[in-house]
Amino acid sequence: MKTRFTPSVLSLAVMVSFGSAANDYASIDTYQGKPASEHTIRANSAVASILPWEDTSAFDRTTRGLIAEFGTHEAGELKKPIRVHGRYVC
């Protein structure tokens, strides 16, 4: 005998799984998370000890040569839509 799952059974299963996940915390604003394991603490400490914390040049390079921020004006927007194989993609 072949078992068939109807859409209503599948949607019920999805709702139940999301419902149990929602019970972990009431809101993203109040979620506290769980403490890091000993392994994670040791791994983070090992990486932190070799990072060049005094080198802030990456922050300077992020704005060097930047004409304008993305999405703040019309200059970066396409003037004409792009067609590929007869379909508009942008």
Side-chain angles (χ1 to χ4, degrees), residues 68-79:
E69 293 183 16
F70 295 105
T72 58
H73 55 83
E74 295 178 8
E77 296 177 10
L78 296 173
K79 301 298 180 201

Side-chain angles (χ1 to χ4, degrees), residues 47-84:
V47 170
S49 69
I50 61 172
L51 290 175
W53 294 106
E54 65 281 349
D55 181 14
T56 59
S57 63
F59 297 107
D60 300 331
R61 289 191 309 269
T62 60
T63 56
R64 187 180 310 142
L66 184 64
I67 296 170
E69 293 183 16
F70 295 105
T72 58
H73 55 83
E74 295 178 8
E77 296 177 10
L78 296 173
K79 301 298 180 201
K80 294 182 180 179
I82 297 174
R83 289 182 74 166
V84 175

